[in-house]
Amino acid sequence: MPHRFPLPPGSMIGVLGGGQLGRMLALAAARLGFDVTVLEPEPDSPASRVAALTLEAPYDDREALKTLAATCDVVTFEFENVPAAVVQQLETLGALAAPGKRPLAIAQDRVDEKEFFRSLGVATADFAAIAGPADIRAALPRLGGRALLKTRREGYDGKGQTWVEGEADAEAAWARVGKKPAILEARVPFVRELSVIAARSRNGEIACYPVGENRHEHGILRTTHAPARLSAATKAEVEAIARKTLEALDYVGVIGVELFELEDGALRVNEFAPRVHNSGHWTLDGCEVDQFEQHVRAVAGWPLGKTQALAEVTMTNLIGSEANDWKALAADPSARVWLYGKREARKGRKMGHVNRLKPFGEGDA
Amino acid sequence: MPHRFPLPPGSMIGVLGGGQLGRMLALAAARLGFDVTVLEPEPDSPASRVAALTLEAPYDDREALKTLAATCDVVTFEFENVPAAVVQQLETLGALAAPGKRPLAIAQDRVDEKEFFRSLGVATADFAAIAGPADIRAALPRLGGRALLKTRREGYDGKGQTWVEGEADAEAAWARVGKKPAILEARVPFVRELSVIAARSRNGEIACYPVGENRHEHGILRTTHAPARLSAATKAEVEAIARKTLEALDYVGVIGVELFELEDGALRVNEFAPRVHNSGHWTLDGCEVDQFEQHVRAVAGWPLGKTQALAEVTMTNLIGSEANDWKALAADPSARVWLYGKREARKGRKMGHVNRLKPFGEGDA
């Protein structure tokens, strides 16, 4: 397909992945008059039921990729584990992918990701690349004697990671992560986790949403509160990190950057997600232009939209059976309910979320 | 299908009609975890591209109606000209339609509609039922010598209506509306047109959005400004009219009621639409729960959502070629852009709309 930007309404946007992020991207695209084609291996996916077309096929299915390349004006993804080879293949077939191969490749490897941030002068946890238990034993003293071992690739919501309790645990920890190439990270003594959702347009314009404060439970995001209460210096530093990251990656689209704040206010970047991000769901009810519309605007070559918060928002994920409380939530006037259309409320599965708004100034006396 | 309310997420909602109202209903349904099946005769309709399933068939297609009845937990419509026989057939097939046959039947006949309002003690324009030019000549003196002739059935956006300029014009006017059963309405010397979007739940709960002030051009809605500046008495009267109407019809869903305000503040009801309404599009960006979600909540047996305005909103329709200005609108940070995915920008066709928000208090000094 020829790529001329800004894409006119009626253009087709391809989305790799049919989960809730793909679903909310499709809803945002529809509001702007775009159509969406979803590529997703699983049948009856959340995004497929709001997309103009769904290709139910593996991500590397050659025919499906050909169809995407032939029919989509731009192709994006809703998750970061799309094989880089797939994006390469799409580009070879003449498709335009956004954000491109490089952000995807870096985000897929935790060592590359940390080295990328270091190269920008952005502080991260101390770390070591691990190829076996000997590496763990060698790095552990420097990393504080107790450190977090994570597979370099894949793993999310706390999966594929384990604490190494000491040198004697090296062998067992290596087994616990499946004896896969890994990263060993020093413990970060953070007081809270922050994240920033930012976007970069095709013209290089950058916009940051107000910073969110995140709380996790069992490795899964539980709540985001935004705008977080921050010093002006911290806010400026978070935005500078987002800006540097977007520019270094020549990024197009929405990115989520997670950071740890230390007791003295210093920041350590944890990771970035080259996509819309769970900690940005508060924008769905808290901003005129939410992160999904912002991503669609960016990849379609439109100017970015406003990122100001209209109210304070607390976003709470509905995980597993919590979504069974939909009746009470439906009756709660303070709850803006979002449900993802997943058929089965499996343990740990993100089924929906709720945004609760508080007008600015209320209760601030 | 068995009907148990409130409908759980994952339920299927049928929508008769695949235009922009159906599209925005489908988007709202998806946010709450519902799926949508659209019945629409035209191929490639705006709603079909965001629906889980589309039945491309005439509204009275027996097989399509059987499928709707067998698979949908509730069936609703996006326009009021669905033949009442279709709703009857759906009900015979075991489907539940909301709002039901009676609001539809009354809204489809301008004389029945006016008589319905009269029966509630709600003032309308003076009128006469017309079966031929003799009726026009007979009624004209009582109606002020110059009056508006409209077909009793069908006609929207100013189509199917004409001014009768005097008794001598009776024959020609009768021909201009196609010699169809008609209504002759006295001119209403209104200072502005208002409308109210209201909803009634399955439990009889009623909620009104703030009243909107409408401006028409060439018979088509041009802008709605909401909340309209009204006296407390007028606001209360508008809400009382909406409430009476919903209760008298045992209504379930969202209704739009159009009214004329006279110089002395008196009101005359013009008509009601048994569906979501163009003059309620401001709620998409001006309220936590917009009219589309409100309608889905009501027909699904959920409690109604909040109707407070978060800001002052001016909604402007994009008609015909105006949608070609999408590039400028995309770049205008004050414009919340909604485009309907219609392939062809025909003259007079509603292609999208724009909401512009003004926080309360701004410029009110």
mmCIF file with all atom_site columns, all heavy atoms in Angstrom, chain A residues 23 30-31 35 288 297 330 336 338-339 343, chain B residues 23 30-31 35 288 297 330 336 339 343:
data_model
loop_
_atom_site.group_PDB
_atom_site.id
_atom_site.type_symbol
_atom_site.label_atom_id
_atom_site.label_alt_id
_atom_site.label_comp_id
_atom_site.label_asym_id
_atom_site.label_entity_id
_atom_site.label_seq_id
_atom_site.pdbx_PDB_ins_code
_atom_site.Cartn_x
_atom_site.Cartn_y
_atom_site.Cartn_z
_atom_site.occupancy
_atom_site.B_iso_or_equiv
_atom_site.pdbx_formal_charge
_atom_site.auth_seq_id
_atom_site.auth_comp_id
_atom_site.auth_asym_id
_atom_site.auth_atom_id
_atom_site.pdbx_PDB_model_num
ATOM 1   N N   . ARG A 1 23  ? -8.428  -4.356  21.237 1.00 0.00 ? 23  ARG A N   1
ATOM 2   C CA  . ARG A 1 23  ? -9.851  -3.983  21.243 1.00 0.00 ? 23  ARG A CA  1
ATOM 3   C C   . ARG A 1 23  ? -10.012 -2.480  21.446 1.00 0.00 ? 23  ARG A C   1
ATOM 4   O O   . ARG A 1 23  ? -10.747 -1.809  20.720 1.00 0.00 ? 23  ARG A O   1
ATOM 5   C CB  . ARG A 1 23  ? -10.551 -4.747  22.364 1.00 0.00 ? 23  ARG A CB  1
ATOM 6   C CG  . ARG A 1 23  ? -12.058 -4.524  22.495 1.00 0.00 ? 23  ARG A CG  1
ATOM 7   C CD  . ARG A 1 23  ? -12.601 -5.474  23.558 1.00 0.00 ? 23  ARG A CD  1
ATOM 8   N NE  . ARG A 1 23  ? -13.965 -5.290  23.958 1.00 0.00 ? 23  ARG A NE  1
ATOM 9   C CZ  . ARG A 1 23  ? -14.993 -6.073  23.597 1.00 0.00 ? 23  ARG A CZ  1
ATOM 10  N NH1 . ARG A 1 23  ? -14.783 -7.070  22.755 1.00 0.00 ? 23  ARG A NH1 1
ATOM 11  N NH2 . ARG A 1 23  ? -16.200 -5.861  24.045 1.00 0.00 ? 23  ARG A NH2 1
ATOM 12  N N   . ALA A 1 30  ? -12.002 3.500   15.230 1.00 0.00 ? 30  ALA A N   1
ATOM 13  C CA  . ALA A 1 30  ? -13.356 3.660   14.670 1.00 0.00 ? 30  ALA A CA  1
ATOM 14  C C   . ALA A 1 30  ? -13.897 5.063   14.916 1.00 0.00 ? 30  ALA A C   1
ATOM 15  O O   . ALA A 1 30  ? -14.586 5.626   14.069 1.00 0.00 ? 30  ALA A O   1
ATOM 16  C CB  . ALA A 1 30  ? -14.303 2.621   15.265 1.00 0.00 ? 30  ALA A CB  1
ATOM 17  N N   . ARG A 1 31  ? -13.587 5.642   16.080 1.00 0.00 ? 31  ARG A N   1
ATOM 18  C CA  . ARG A 1 31  ? -14.077 6.988   16.370 1.00 0.00 ? 31  ARG A CA  1
ATOM 19  C C   . ARG A 1 31  ? -13.546 8.006   15.365 1.00 0.00 ? 31  ARG A C   1
ATOM 20  O O   . ARG A 1 31  ? -14.201 9.001   15.081 1.00 0.00 ? 31  ARG A O   1
ATOM 21  C CB  . ARG A 1 31  ? -13.672 7.415   17.791 1.00 0.00 ? 31  ARG A CB  1
ATOM 22  C CG  . ARG A 1 31  ? -14.333 6.598   18.886 1.00 0.00 ? 31  ARG A CG  1
ATOM 23  C CD  . ARG A 1 31  ? -14.242 7.299   20.237 1.00 0.00 ? 31  ARG A CD  1
ATOM 24  N NE  . ARG A 1 31  ? -12.892 7.594   20.656 1.00 0.00 ? 31  ARG A NE  1
ATOM 25  C CZ  . ARG A 1 31  ? -12.163 6.841   21.482 1.00 0.00 ? 31  ARG A CZ  1
ATOM 26  N NH1 . ARG A 1 31  ? -12.652 5.715   21.982 1.00 0.00 ? 31  ARG A NH1 1
ATOM 27  N NH2 . ARG A 1 31  ? -10.949 7.194   21.835 1.00 0.00 ? 31  ARG A NH2 1
ATOM 28  N N   . ASP A 1 35  ? -10.738 1.979   9.741  1.00 0.00 ? 35  ASP A N   1
ATOM 29  C CA  . ASP A 1 35  ? -11.085 0.566   9.878  1.00 0.00 ? 35  ASP A CA  1
ATOM 30  C C   . ASP A 1 35  ? -9.866  -0.193  10.383 1.00 0.00 ? 35  ASP A C   1
ATOM 31  O O   . ASP A 1 35  ? -8.728  0.247   10.200 1.00 0.00 ? 35  ASP A O   1
ATOM 32  C CB  . ASP A 1 35  ? -11.532 -0.002  8.536  1.00 0.00 ? 35  ASP A CB  1
ATOM 33  C CG  . ASP A 1 35  ? -12.839 0.619   8.073  1.00 0.00 ? 35  ASP A CG  1
ATOM 34  O OD1 . ASP A 1 35  ? -13.685 0.907   8.938  1.00 0.00 ? 35  ASP A OD1 1
ATOM 35  O OD2 . ASP A 1 35  ? -12.998 0.828   6.866  1.00 0.00 ? 35  ASP A OD2 1
ATOM 36  N N   . GLU A 1 288 ? -9.250  14.194  27.274 1.00 0.00 ? 288 GLU A N   1
ATOM 37  C CA  . GLU A 1 288 ? -10.059 14.300  26.055 1.00 0.00 ? 288 GLU A CA  1
ATOM 38  C C   . GLU A 1 288 ? -9.595  13.273  25.022 1.00 0.00 ? 288 GLU A C   1
ATOM 39  O O   . GLU A 1 288 ? -10.409 12.598  24.402 1.00 0.00 ? 288 GLU A O   1
ATOM 40  C CB  . GLU A 1 288 ? -9.958  15.715  25.468 1.00 0.00 ? 288 GLU A CB  1
ATOM 41  C CG  . GLU A 1 288 ? -10.681 16.759  26.304 1.00 0.00 ? 288 GLU A CG  1
ATOM 42  C CD  . GLU A 1 288 ? -10.781 18.093  25.588 1.00 0.00 ? 288 GLU A CD  1
ATOM 43  O OE1 . GLU A 1 288 ? -10.862 18.126  24.345 1.00 0.00 ? 288 GLU A OE1 1
ATOM 44  O OE2 . GLU A 1 288 ? -10.769 19.123  26.279 1.00 0.00 ? 288 GLU A OE2 1
ATOM 45  N N   . ARG A 1 297 ? -3.627  8.247   16.282 1.00 0.00 ? 297 ARG A N   1
ATOM 46  C CA  . ARG A 1 297 ? -3.226  9.513   15.660 1.00 0.00 ? 297 ARG A CA  1
ATOM 47  C C   . ARG A 1 297 ? -1.765  9.456   15.208 1.00 0.00 ? 297 ARG A C   1
ATOM 48  O O   . ARG A 1 297 ? -1.433  9.854   14.094 1.00 0.00 ? 297 ARG A O   1
ATOM 49  C CB  . ARG A 1 297 ? -3.398  10.669  16.658 1.00 0.00 ? 297 ARG A CB  1
ATOM 50  C CG  . ARG A 1 297 ? -4.834  11.131  16.831 1.00 0.00 ? 297 ARG A CG  1
ATOM 51  C CD  . ARG A 1 297 ? -4.944  12.234  17.886 1.00 0.00 ? 297 ARG A CD  1
ATOM 52  N NE  . ARG A 1 297 ? -6.224  12.894  17.806 1.00 0.00 ? 297 ARG A NE  1
ATOM 53  C CZ  . ARG A 1 297 ? -6.454  14.037  17.132 1.00 0.00 ? 297 ARG A CZ  1
ATOM 54  N NH1 . ARG A 1 297 ? -5.461  14.681  16.546 1.00 0.00 ? 297 ARG A NH1 1
ATOM 55  N NH2 . ARG A 1 297 ? -7.666  14.548  17.064 1.00 0.00 ? 297 ARG A NH2 1
ATOM 56  N N   . ALA A 1 330 ? -21.608 -2.049  37.908 1.00 0.00 ? 330 ALA A N   1
ATOM 57  C CA  . ALA A 1 330 ? -22.581 -1.402  37.014 1.00 0.00 ? 330 ALA A CA  1
ATOM 58  C C   . ALA A 1 330 ? -23.473 -0.447  37.793 1.00 0.00 ? 330 ALA A C   1
ATOM 59  O O   . ALA A 1 330 ? -23.941 0.559   37.260 1.00 0.00 ? 330 ALA A O   1
ATOM 60  C CB  . ALA A 1 330 ? -23.428 -2.455  36.313 1.00 0.00 ? 330 ALA A CB  1
ATOM 61  N N   . ARG A 1 336 ? -16.430 4.067   36.344 1.00 0.00 ? 336 ARG A N   1
ATOM 62  C CA  . ARG A 1 336 ? -16.503 3.961   34.882 1.00 0.00 ? 336 ARG A CA  1
ATOM 63  C C   . ARG A 1 336 ? -15.983 2.572   34.539 1.00 0.00 ? 336 ARG A C   1
ATOM 64  O O   . ARG A 1 336 ? -14.800 2.285   34.708 1.00 0.00 ? 336 ARG A O   1
ATOM 65  C CB  . ARG A 1 336 ? -15.632 5.028   34.224 1.00 0.00 ? 336 ARG A CB  1
ATOM 66  C CG  . ARG A 1 336 ? -16.060 6.447   34.529 1.00 0.00 ? 336 ARG A CG  1
ATOM 67  C CD  . ARG A 1 336 ? -17.287 6.868   33.725 1.00 0.00 ? 336 ARG A CD  1
ATOM 68  N NE  . ARG A 1 336 ? -17.084 6.534   32.328 1.00 0.00 ? 336 ARG A NE  1
ATOM 69  C CZ  . ARG A 1 336 ? -17.878 5.748   31.611 1.00 0.00 ? 336 ARG A CZ  1
ATOM 70  N NH1 . ARG A 1 336 ? -18.945 5.208   32.129 1.00 0.00 ? 336 ARG A NH1 1
ATOM 71  N NH2 . ARG A 1 336 ? -17.608 5.500   30.356 1.00 0.00 ? 336 ARG A NH2 1
ATOM 72  N N   . TRP A 1 338 ? -14.991 -0.697  32.326 1.00 0.00 ? 338 TRP A N   1
ATOM 73  C CA  . TRP A 1 338 ? -14.502 -1.182  31.030 1.00 0.00 ? 338 TRP A CA  1
ATOM 74  C C   . TRP A 1 338 ? -14.323 -2.687  31.129 1.00 0.00 ? 338 TRP A C   1
ATOM 75  O O   . TRP A 1 338 ? -13.557 -3.176  31.975 1.00 0.00 ? 338 TRP A O   1
ATOM 76  C CB  . TRP A 1 338 ? -13.151 -0.532  30.697 1.00 0.00 ? 338 TRP A CB  1
ATOM 77  C CG  . TRP A 1 338 ? -13.277 0.930   30.408 1.00 0.00 ? 338 TRP A CG  1
ATOM 78  C CD1 . TRP A 1 338 ? -13.435 1.940   31.309 1.00 0.00 ? 338 TRP A CD1 1
ATOM 79  C CD2 . TRP A 1 338 ? -13.274 1.553   29.116 1.00 0.00 ? 338 TRP A CD2 1
ATOM 80  N NE1 . TRP A 1 338 ? -13.528 3.150   30.661 1.00 0.00 ? 338 TRP A NE1 1
ATOM 81  C CE2 . TRP A 1 338 ? -13.424 2.940   29.318 1.00 0.00 ? 338 TRP A CE2 1
ATOM 82  C CE3 . TRP A 1 338 ? -13.144 1.071   27.808 1.00 0.00 ? 338 TRP A CE3 1
ATOM 83  C CZ2 . TRP A 1 338 ? -13.459 3.849   28.261 1.00 0.00 ? 338 TRP A CZ2 1
ATOM 84  C CZ3 . TRP A 1 338 ? -13.174 1.978   26.754 1.00 0.00 ? 338 TRP A CZ3 1
ATOM 85  C CH2 . TRP A 1 338 ? -13.335 3.348   26.986 1.00 0.00 ? 338 TRP A CH2 1
ATOM 86  N N   . LEU A 1 339 ? -15.019 -3.422  30.272 1.00 0.00 ? 339 LEU A N   1
ATOM 87  C CA  . LEU A 1 339 ? -14.900 -4.881  30.284 1.00 0.00 ? 339 LEU A CA  1
ATOM 88  C C   . LEU A 1 339 ? -14.422 -5.320  28.903 1.00 0.00 ? 339 LEU A C   1
ATOM 89  O O   . LEU A 1 339 ? -14.800 -4.749  27.891 1.00 0.00 ? 339 LEU A O   1
ATOM 90  C CB  . LEU A 1 339 ? -16.239 -5.516  30.651 1.00 0.00 ? 339 LEU A CB  1
ATOM 91  C CG  . LEU A 1 339 ? -16.717 -5.160  32.075 1.00 0.00 ? 339 LEU A CG  1
ATOM 92  C CD1 . LEU A 1 339 ? -18.151 -5.604  32.299 1.00 0.00 ? 339 LEU A CD1 1
ATOM 93  C CD2 . LEU A 1 339 ? -15.795 -5.766  33.125 1.00 0.00 ? 339 LEU A CD2 1
ATOM 94  N N   . ARG A 1 343 ? -13.995 -14.414 27.446 1.00 0.00 ? 343 ARG A N   1
ATOM 95  C CA  . ARG A 1 343 ? -15.031 -15.403 27.756 1.00 0.00 ? 343 ARG A CA  1
ATOM 96  C C   . ARG A 1 343 ? -14.817 -16.073 29.103 1.00 0.00 ? 343 ARG A C   1
ATOM 97  O O   . ARG A 1 343 ? -15.754 -16.523 29.732 1.00 0.00 ? 343 ARG A O   1
ATOM 98  C CB  . ARG A 1 343 ? -15.081 -16.479 26.663 1.00 0.00 ? 343 ARG A CB  1
ATOM 99  C CG  . ARG A 1 343 ? -15.360 -15.944 25.265 1.00 0.00 ? 343 ARG A CG  1
ATOM 100 C CD  . ARG A 1 343 ? -16.692 -15.231 25.179 1.00 0.00 ? 343 ARG A CD  1
ATOM 101 N NE  . ARG A 1 343 ? -16.995 -14.880 23.778 1.00 0.00 ? 343 ARG A NE  1
ATOM 102 C CZ  . ARG A 1 343 ? -17.875 -13.970 23.425 1.00 0.00 ? 343 ARG A CZ  1
ATOM 103 N NH1 . ARG A 1 343 ? -18.531 -13.271 24.349 1.00 0.00 ? 343 ARG A NH1 1
ATOM 104 N NH2 . ARG A 1 343 ? -18.103 -13.715 22.157 1.00 0.00 ? 343 ARG A NH2 1
ATOM 105 N N   . ARG B 1 23  ? -23.249 2.471   14.889 1.00 0.00 ? 23  ARG B N   1
ATOM 106 C CA  . ARG B 1 23  ? -21.808 2.363   15.101 1.00 0.00 ? 23  ARG B CA  1
ATOM 107 C C   . ARG B 1 23  ? -21.442 2.813   16.517 1.00 0.00 ? 23  ARG B C   1
ATOM 108 O O   . ARG B 1 23  ? -20.712 2.132   17.231 1.00 0.00 ? 23  ARG B O   1
ATOM 109 C CB  . ARG B 1 23  ? -21.096 3.236   14.061 1.00 0.00 ? 23  ARG B CB  1
ATOM 110 C CG  . ARG B 1 23  ? -19.564 3.210   14.100 1.00 0.00 ? 23  ARG B CG  1
ATOM 111 C CD  . ARG B 1 23  ? -19.047 4.025   12.900 1.00 0.00 ? 23  ARG B CD  1
ATOM 112 N NE  . ARG B 1 23  ? -17.632 4.283   12.874 1.00 0.00 ? 23  ARG B NE  1
ATOM 113 C CZ  . ARG B 1 23  ? -16.760 3.654   12.078 1.00 0.00 ? 23  ARG B CZ  1
ATOM 114 N NH1 . ARG B 1 23  ? -17.171 2.678   11.295 1.00 0.00 ? 23  ARG B NH1 1
ATOM 115 N NH2 . ARG B 1 23  ? -15.490 3.980   12.063 1.00 0.00 ? 23  ARG B NH2 1
ATOM 116 N N   . ALA B 1 30  ? -19.365 -2.427  23.332 1.00 0.00 ? 30  ALA B N   1
ATOM 117 C CA  . ALA B 1 30  ? -18.075 -3.113  23.450 1.00 0.00 ? 30  ALA B CA  1
ATOM 118 C C   . ALA B 1 30  ? -17.334 -2.690  24.712 1.00 0.00 ? 30  ALA B C   1
ATOM 119 O O   . ALA B 1 30  ? -16.675 -3.500  25.364 1.00 0.00 ? 30  ALA B O   1
ATOM 120 C CB  . ALA B 1 30  ? -17.212 -2.834  22.215 1.00 0.00 ? 30  ALA B CB  1
ATOM 121 N N   . ARG B 1 31  ? -17.452 -1.423  25.083 1.00 0.00 ? 31  ARG B N   1
ATOM 122 C CA  . ARG B 1 31  ? -16.762 -0.958  26.289 1.00 0.00 ? 31  ARG B CA  1
ATOM 123 C C   . ARG B 1 31  ? -17.277 -1.691  27.520 1.00 0.00 ? 31  ARG B C   1
ATOM 124 O O   . ARG B 1 31  ? -16.539 -1.876  28.485 1.00 0.00 ? 31  ARG B O   1
ATOM 125 C CB  . ARG B 1 31  ? -16.969 0.559   26.478 1.00 0.00 ? 31  ARG B CB  1
ATOM 126 C CG  . ARG B 1 31  ? -16.291 1.385   25.406 1.00 0.00 ? 31  ARG B CG  1
ATOM 127 C CD  . ARG B 1 31  ? -16.154 2.853   25.843 1.00 0.00 ? 31  ARG B CD  1
ATOM 128 N NE  . ARG B 1 31  ? -17.400 3.489   26.189 1.00 0.00 ? 31  ARG B NE  1
ATOM 129 C CZ  . ARG B 1 31  ? -18.137 4.248   25.373 1.00 0.00 ? 31  ARG B CZ  1
ATOM 130 N NH1 . ARG B 1 31  ? -17.746 4.448   24.125 1.00 0.00 ? 31  ARG B NH1 1
ATOM 131 N NH2 . ARG B 1 31  ? -19.244 4.809   25.791 1.00 0.00 ? 31  ARG B NH2 1
ATOM 132 N N   . ASP B 1 35  ? -21.377 -7.906  23.025 1.00 0.00 ? 35  ASP B N   1
ATOM 133 C CA  . ASP B 1 35  ? -21.188 -8.071  21.586 1.00 0.00 ? 35  ASP B CA  1
ATOM 134 C C   . ASP B 1 35  ? -22.434 -7.558  20.870 1.00 0.00 ? 35  ASP B C   1
ATOM 135 O O   . ASP B 1 35  ? -23.522 -7.528  21.448 1.00 0.00 ? 35  ASP B O   1
ATOM 136 C CB  . ASP B 1 35  ? -20.967 -9.538  21.242 1.00 0.00 ? 35  ASP B CB  1
ATOM 137 C CG  . ASP B 1 35  ? -19.638 -10.036 21.792 1.00 0.00 ? 35  ASP B CG  1
ATOM 138 O OD1 . ASP B 1 35  ? -18.671 -9.245  21.805 1.00 0.00 ? 35  ASP B OD1 1
ATOM 139 O OD2 . ASP B 1 35  ? -19.568 -11.203 22.202 1.00 0.00 ? 35  ASP B OD2 1
ATOM 140 N N   . GLU B 1 288 ? -19.517 11.586  31.721 1.00 0.00 ? 288 GLU B N   1
ATOM 141 C CA  . GLU B 1 288 ? -18.833 10.307  31.977 1.00 0.00 ? 288 GLU B CA  1
ATOM 142 C C   . GLU B 1 288 ? -19.525 9.177   31.220 1.00 0.00 ? 288 GLU B C   1
ATOM 143 O O   . GLU B 1 288 ? -18.878 8.339   30.598 1.00 0.00 ? 288 GLU B O   1
ATOM 144 C CB  . GLU B 1 288 ? -18.823 10.004  33.479 1.00 0.00 ? 288 GLU B CB  1
ATOM 145 C CG  . GLU B 1 288 ? -17.864 10.897  34.254 1.00 0.00 ? 288 GLU B CG  1
ATOM 146 C CD  . GLU B 1 288 ? -17.688 10.428  35.690 1.00 0.00 ? 288 GLU B CD  1
ATOM 147 O OE1 . GLU B 1 288 ? -17.743 9.220   35.957 1.00 0.00 ? 288 GLU B OE1 1
ATOM 148 O OE2 . GLU B 1 288 ? -17.482 11.296  36.566 1.00 0.00 ? 288 GLU B OE2 1
ATOM 149 N N   . ARG B 1 297 ? -26.936 0.493   28.610 1.00 0.00 ? 297 ARG B N   1
ATOM 150 C CA  . ARG B 1 297 ? -27.243 0.165   30.012 1.00 0.00 ? 297 ARG B CA  1
ATOM 151 C C   . ARG B 1 297 ? -28.733 -0.104  30.185 1.00 0.00 ? 297 ARG B C   1
ATOM 152 O O   . ARG B 1 297 ? -29.132 -1.084  30.817 1.00 0.00 ? 297 ARG B O   1
ATOM 153 C CB  . ARG B 1 297 ? -26.830 1.321   30.931 1.00 0.00 ? 297 ARG B CB  1
ATOM 154 C CG  . ARG B 1 297 ? -25.335 1.384   31.202 1.00 0.00 ? 297 ARG B CG  1
ATOM 155 C CD  . ARG B 1 297 ? -24.984 2.606   32.051 1.00 0.00 ? 297 ARG B CD  1
ATOM 156 N NE  . ARG B 1 297 ? -23.644 2.468   32.605 1.00 0.00 ? 297 ARG B NE  1
ATOM 157 C CZ  . ARG B 1 297 ? -23.364 2.003   33.813 1.00 0.00 ? 297 ARG B CZ  1
ATOM 158 N NH1 . ARG B 1 297 ? -24.336 1.659   34.641 1.00 0.00 ? 297 ARG B NH1 1
ATOM 159 N NH2 . ARG B 1 297 ? -22.120 1.885   34.225 1.00 0.00 ? 297 ARG B NH2 1
ATOM 160 N N   . ALA B 1 330 ? -8.241  17.524  12.544 1.00 0.00 ? 330 ALA B N   1
ATOM 161 C CA  . ALA B 1 330 ? -7.297  16.649  13.250 1.00 0.00 ? 330 ALA B CA  1
ATOM 162 C C   . ALA B 1 330 ? -6.216  17.470  13.942 1.00 0.00 ? 330 ALA B C   1
ATOM 163 O O   . ALA B 1 330 ? -5.681  17.067  14.979 1.00 0.00 ? 330 ALA B O   1
ATOM 164 C CB  . ALA B 1 330 ? -6.665  15.660  12.274 1.00 0.00 ? 330 ALA B CB  1
ATOM 165 N N   . ARG B 1 336 ? -12.761 17.731  19.355 1.00 0.00 ? 336 ARG B N   1
ATOM 166 C CA  . ARG B 1 336 ? -12.851 16.280  19.530 1.00 0.00 ? 336 ARG B CA  1
ATOM 167 C C   . ARG B 1 336 ? -13.580 15.751  18.297 1.00 0.00 ? 336 ARG B C   1
ATOM 168 O O   . ARG B 1 336 ? -14.767 16.007  18.107 1.00 0.00 ? 336 ARG B O   1
ATOM 169 C CB  . ARG B 1 336 ? -13.639 15.935  20.801 1.00 0.00 ? 336 ARG B CB  1
ATOM 170 C CG  . ARG B 1 336 ? -13.013 16.429  22.082 1.00 0.00 ? 336 ARG B CG  1
ATOM 171 C CD  . ARG B 1 336 ? -11.825 15.566  22.502 1.00 0.00 ? 336 ARG B CD  1
ATOM 172 N NE  . ARG B 1 336 ? -12.207 14.165  22.490 1.00 0.00 ? 336 ARG B NE  1
ATOM 173 C CZ  . ARG B 1 336 ? -11.611 13.221  21.764 1.00 0.00 ? 336 ARG B CZ  1
ATOM 174 N NH1 . ARG B 1 336 ? -10.588 13.517  21.004 1.00 0.00 ? 336 ARG B NH1 1
ATOM 175 N NH2 . ARG B 1 336 ? -12.023 11.996  21.805 1.00 0.00 ? 336 ARG B NH2 1
ATOM 176 N N   . LEU B 1 339 ? -15.695 10.639  13.373 1.00 0.00 ? 339 LEU B N   1
ATOM 177 C CA  . LEU B 1 339 ? -16.001 10.394  11.959 1.00 0.00 ? 339 LEU B CA  1
ATOM 178 C C   . LEU B 1 339 ? -16.667 9.029   11.840 1.00 0.00 ? 339 LEU B C   1
ATOM 179 O O   . LEU B 1 339 ? -16.323 8.096   12.566 1.00 0.00 ? 339 LEU B O   1
ATOM 180 C CB  . LEU B 1 339 ? -14.723 10.483  11.127 1.00 0.00 ? 339 LEU B CB  1
ATOM 181 C CG  . LEU B 1 339 ? -14.065 11.873  11.153 1.00 0.00 ? 339 LEU B CG  1
ATOM 182 C CD1 . LEU B 1 339 ? -12.678 11.841  10.530 1.00 0.00 ? 339 LEU B CD1 1
ATOM 183 C CD2 . LEU B 1 339 ? -14.939 12.901  10.440 1.00 0.00 ? 339 LEU B CD2 1
ATOM 184 N N   . ARG B 1 343 ? -18.361 6.020   3.281  1.00 0.00 ? 343 ARG B N   1
ATOM 185 C CA  . ARG B 1 343 ? -17.420 6.027   2.157  1.00 0.00 ? 343 ARG B CA  1
ATOM 186 C C   . ARG B 1 343 ? -17.582 7.249   1.265  1.00 0.00 ? 343 ARG B C   1
ATOM 187 O O   . ARG B 1 343 ? -16.634 7.658   0.598  1.00 0.00 ? 343 ARG B O   1
ATOM 188 C CB  . ARG B 1 343 ? -17.607 4.765   1.313  1.00 0.00 ? 343 ARG B CB  1
ATOM 189 C CG  . ARG B 1 343 ? -17.433 3.453   2.072  1.00 0.00 ? 343 ARG B CG  1
ATOM 190 C CD  . ARG B 1 343 ? -16.044 3.325   2.661  1.00 0.00 ? 343 ARG B CD  1
ATOM 191 N NE  . ARG B 1 343 ? -15.851 1.977   3.222  1.00 0.00 ? 343 ARG B NE  1
ATOM 192 C CZ  . ARG B 1 343 ? -14.910 1.684   4.102  1.00 0.00 ? 343 ARG B CZ  1
ATOM 193 N NH1 . ARG B 1 343 ? -14.069 2.623   4.539  1.00 0.00 ? 343 ARG B NH1 1
ATOM 194 N NH2 . ARG B 1 343 ? -14.774 0.466   4.567  1.00 0.00 ? 343 ARG B NH2 1
#
